[in-house]
Amino acid sequence: METIRKILMMMAVVAVAMFSMAASCEKQPEPEPEPEVKEYNFDLYVCAVKHGGMSKNKNGTYVRSVPALTADQPRVEFTGKGIDITEDYTLESITRGKYYYQVPQKATGGFVKFHIERNASGEETIVEDAEVPFKTNVFDARKYTHAWIDDGATLVLIGTDAKHTSVFWTKLAESNLAVQSEGTFNFTLPENYGSFSTAGLLTYRKSDNKLFYFYMDKVKSGITDAATSVTHITVIDPATMNVESNTTVPGEIMEETAGSAYGELMQSMIVYDEADNMYVAGLRTIDGKEMGILRRIKAGSKTFDTTWNGFPNPEGKLLTIQYLGEGKALCYSRDEALGTKIDSKSHFYSIINLSDCSRQRVKYNGQDLQYCGGRFSQRSAVVGGKAYIGVGGETEGLEEATYPTIYIYDCKTGAVEKGVELSKGFCFDIIRAMEAK
Amino acid sequence: MLFRRLLSIILALASCCVCARGQDTLGVWGMLKDTVTLESASVTAKSKEQRLREGAYAVSAVGIKAQAATLQSLTQAIDRTSGIRIREEGGVGSDFDLSINGMSGNSVRYFLDGMPLDAKGSGMTLSNLPVNIIESVEIYKGVIPASFGSDALGGAINIITNRQSRNYIDFSCGAGSFHTYKADFSARYGSRKTGIVFKPVISANYSKNDYLMRGVKVRNEDHTAFVIKDLPRFHDDYLSLFAQMEAGVENRSWADAFFLSASVSKIDKELQTGANQANVIGMAERHTRSLNLSARYDKAGFLTEGLNAHFSASHTWDNSQTIDTTYRRYYWDGTYINGSYSEIRHRGKTLRLYERPLTVLRGNLDYRLAEGHNLGLNYQLNRMGNRQEDLWDEDFGKTDDVLAKHIIALSYEQSLMEGKLDNAFFVKDYINHLKVGQNELPSTTGASEVKDSDTKNYLGYGMGSRYIFSEPLAVKGSYEHSVRLPISREVLGNGSTVYPNVALQPEISDNFNLGFFGTVDLGGGHLLSYETNGFMRLVDNYIQATVMETEGMMQYVNVAAVHIKGVDGEVRYDWAGKLHLAMNASYDDSRDMREFTQAGQPSITYKNRTPNRPWTYCNAEAAYTFRNVGLKGSRLRLSCDYQWVHWFYLTWAAYGSASSKSKVPTQHITNASILYAWAQNRYNVSLECTNLFNVLAYDNYMLQKPGRGFYLKFRMFLQ
């Protein structure tokens, strides 16, 4: 009897144990869902006659929106096609999701949100979703910098007054562009300096919920000798917009950021890696020439890591940088020896390995991608593990003319394939990857 | 019977004299022939305008004298002419652009009695010249007679002032919609005994131009959103004053005419918009002051028999000021926000002073080699300075530019086969000197691309021929290889809305005309006439106005090659000076013929129609005159005119999809007027309604023209 009881007890214990195991197995977390695969449209911007960007496009800007940039797509035609945005909008814009946000060209004294869709006849058209007048702070078309905070619910803009001697900010609600709050920073110019940079560069670091604002003291407004500029890094509390620190950057570290007049409305100049280290494209003068430099602010730090330069031995200016993942970044830079004009065919793409600061030109079939015109172009977009790199065929002579072509770089494997072509005759300036929904 | 014959002969002689003096005796607007019908004899004499139309050149002539009682401005009359299109940016005093057979307004030169109109001051234009002093307007299309000593490419407009030899007083005043007021006075007093003549002219124009802007975007009451409203313009006042005294002698042994003249003009203009109405301006202004001193001398048989001489000299002190000293951004309701750039230039504040002294010297010798054979030599110097300084912008350095043109022309004219065949041949030498002192915005103005001082030489030549088969059919053809040197507005800007482009190259063109014209007398006072002209302009370095997509500013740029082909024609019908009908239509096809870009690529716009210019338009008018209505010798004239302009693209057709492209829409404008004149036209009252159906009309992209307006005008002409 005792034996039977023991056997029953053991069976009960085993049953409980098995039940418990079964129960504990049920409580284990479910496998992570596959990341949502977003669908994108690619908005392609071209300018007529000469390259545009940063108020240089005097001959018109035209936009087409296509669902893919792979080689199986038909050539993207622009003759008599695409939205003519010249009169109403700027090609420089803030984008998020499927929306554009900007101070429009049409000078309504306000801010506009719009998206691109197709009309009944299949032509791209612009649909305005919201437009609000400015309150106190008035921003000029192009001349502002921005950052998204509150998980994209709030847009922060920073700009300067007419003489660039006062720096102000405005917060807008993403949904309806309502002005939430405005203010002015209390920055002062040192003696013998006449203005701040036109807009500066604003960025948001998520890991410590801080805004970083890069601006410069300049001898006078407009284009000046970079060696005379003094760059500042300010750290701002995004909730209160109070300046928590303002650090002056020594000239040997960086004289100017890669752009300071138009924010990142067109060209990407600040990127983050997975650890939230920040990388900032800039320039400093070497042997009398302004040359590119890439500096890093480590996660948690508020100043540049002075020992690190991700763009050593520069051929010229570093113009844009985009993070590709796994410690690699795509950069667009210029070889000064091949020309420094906006349309000079002296601009090229490289991949920077951020771990050892080496870089290599992007190649297709073993050949370097050709040089391009377009100092102010952002002809590359990184999305879905691919980098779409546009190479213009726009300013070549007749004999060597090629179609502007997009090359697709696989961020994991490094493989490059040829993508879609664009029609000739226009200057290819921007690819924007926009969410389709 | 004898009396009737005598009377007929006297009238015939009188008509011939009138013809010789170039008078339009009956003054019926647009009449082809002045007709006087007696019981048994009809004597006709061609009006001066008609004789000009029958010359060797492609020319339209518009009689103004008889329209003076109703016209608000000269542009009104010229805009109704075949092949002519005037695009106005707004209301009274607004800038306008005139084209002849497709060539833009600045390819057209303006003359006042053969002297450049600019000499009266940069603010004096077709729109504010006093109408009363003008007798007629000659419009030369494509080929310009050498006697003008001009570098016009598209054509020339020569305004002929009243040169009548009888003393008179001419006064008119008027008022109309949008707070518009106008008054003109001119007179002539001369003594036959001494030959001394005085000719005073005074003219004043004022308008608030507060016409309704329809569908404009403004803020709501709490300034949180935009709403669409119709609102009046609020900063568009315009005032122009002009005074001139001409004094001299006539019909002396040493001079047929010798006159000294002094004139002053003052133009004050508030600026309301930039290059389009989205850019609302609420504070900026432009002021222009001019003083002109000139002299002219005419003598037939100068030094030797058969040599006619004309000399004139003129100097103008022209000063203008553009005030752009606020950083406000206005809305159409007059409210504003503080912005960060100035209203006009979208940059820093400026208070810019422009000093543009203009010197014109002209000499013309015409020698009769034999009956029907004349040799002409013409020289013209046109020197304009452009000194700028800024009273506000401390960074702006003073500039001192000079644009000087010497044009020497030699011509030979012949009249053969008893006047049936007329030929004219000419050659012109153009010397252009540009001294650039300005260096503001060098990448925009091209100041960095040109030498500080440069002189260039160009050669032009041409010919014209006309043959009359019979009264109903004549043919004429003309050709000119012409050079058009850029004018100061194109090279040096206008100080407010037009950027300089000192690197601008001259336009060079081969212009061809072939036309037919004739008059058919249908009997019973019915006259039908027609003229048609086919033309071709093969232009290199075509100068085109472009709207800068930034800032709403304009700038003139060269387009490598443009070919314009087209035709215009007009039919006129008149019945006994009572019923007048006219219709004209114009079509031109202007194409970009640059096959490759500078970089060598095929041009996207090759064979595209040149954008931002009207290319098909027509005018129609009807008028009926009643006589002896109410008062004996009175005249009641009812008239109506209609204008249609086809829509056109703002930019090249190849750029962007059709649905997204900016367009200037089709226009249908109808105007009507009533004129009552009594006491042998001594007194006139007219009421005019413009834009009768109050349609929304645009000449330029996003620049609304005035809606319906009424204008009342009284004129007194005592002779």
Side-chain angles (χ1 to χ4, degrees), chain A residues 48-49 57-58 62 78-84 86-87 105-109 119 123 131-133 138 140 142 161-162 393-398 401 424-426, chain B residues 217 219 223-226 276 278 327 329 331 337-341 548-551 596 599-602 604 650-651 653-662 701:
Chain A
V49 185
N57 50 316
K58 296 178 170 59
Y62 310 94
F78 275 92
T79 304
K81 294 181 183 295
I83 311 168
D84 180 350
T86 317
E87 293 296 322
Q105 181 64 48
K106 54 189 172 183
T108 53
N119 60 19
E123 291 181 335
E131 186 177 16
V132 293
V138 177
D140 294 348
R142 299 183 182 84
D161 66 346
E394 66 285 341
T395 55
E396 291 85 347
L398 183 61
K424 291 180 186 177
F426 291 89
Chain B
K217 191 179 278 187
R219 295 175 297 177
H223 295 177
T224 55
F226 288 111
N276 69 56
Y327 285 155
R329 305 269 293 276
Y331 294 96
I337 52 177
N338 288 314
S340 56
Y341 52 72
M548 308 281 282
E549 51 83 40
T550 56
E551 309 133 21
F596 297 101
Q601 280 216 351
I604 291 296
L650 181 67
T651 58
Y655 291 169
S657 61
S659 63
S660 74
K661 290 185 67 63
S662 302
Y701 180 69

Side-chain angles (χ1 to χ4, degrees), chain B residues 117-134:
Chain B
L117 179 59
D118 289 346
K120 293 297 173 195
S122 59
M124 295 307 295
T125 67
L126 298 183
S127 66
N128 57 15
L129 269 179
V131 174
N132 292 8
I133 66 167
I134 298 164

Side-chain angles (χ1 to χ4, degrees), chain B residues 21-91:
Chain B
R21 284 177 173 273
Q23 302 289 322
D24 186 349
T25 52
L26 295 184
V28 178
W29 175 34
M31 272 189 70
L32 303 165
K33 295 185 176 184
D34 301 334
T35 308
V36 179
T37 306
L38 301 177
E39 287 180 26
S40 60
S42 177
V43 180
T44 61
K46 290 178 181 175
S47 67
K48 185 181 177 186
E49 290 80 44
Q50 180 63 9
R51 283 185 291 117
L52 191 67
R53 287 183 194 118
E54 293 178 2
Y57 297 106
V59 59
S60 292
V62 184
I64 299 297
K65 192 175 170 185
Q67 299 185 67
T70 53
L71 281 179
Q72 301 301 317
S73 76
L74 205 51
T75 52
Q76 262 184 306
I78 295 174
D79 197 25
R80 296 168 186 153
T81 309
S82 168
I84 310 298
R85 179 80 193 110
I86 294 179
R87 301 168 66 189
E88 294 180 318
E89 293 185 0

